[in-house]
Amino acid sequence: MSLGGPPARRVIDVALDAQLNEEENLEIDALCEQGRVYTESVGYPSPDQSS
């Protein structure tokens, strides 16, 4: 998972990385990317751009 974004997101990313194996992390990253692509395709800004 990326360590960018708000400080709370970084803390959550680090905590999740410690609990999940590499395959689970890759699956979550893929799902996040699918969601980002979908929201951009329907015209919603990504969460990082909404502020």
Side-chain angles (χ1 to χ4, degrees), residues 1-3 12-22 25 29:
M1 287 188 193
S2 84
L3 293 177
I12 292 169
D13 284 347
V14 170
L16 285 174
D17 283 345
Q19 293 181 10
L20 302 174
N21 65 38
E22 184 65 23
N25 278 324
D29 288 345

Side-chain angles (χ1 to χ4, degrees), residues 7-48:
R9 184 175 295 170
R10 284 190 291 260
V11 170
I12 292 169
D13 284 347
V14 170
L16 285 174
D17 283 345
Q19 293 181 10
L20 302 174
N21 65 38
E22 184 65 23
E23 184 177 327
E24 292 167 326
N25 278 324
L26 291 173
E27 185 174 344
I28 290 171
D29 288 345
L31 290 171
C32 290
E33 182 64 17
Q34 288 174 10
R36 184 189 65 76
V37 170
Y38 172 78
T39 56
E40 288 177 357
S41 71
V42 295
Y44 291 106
S46 70
D48 294 336

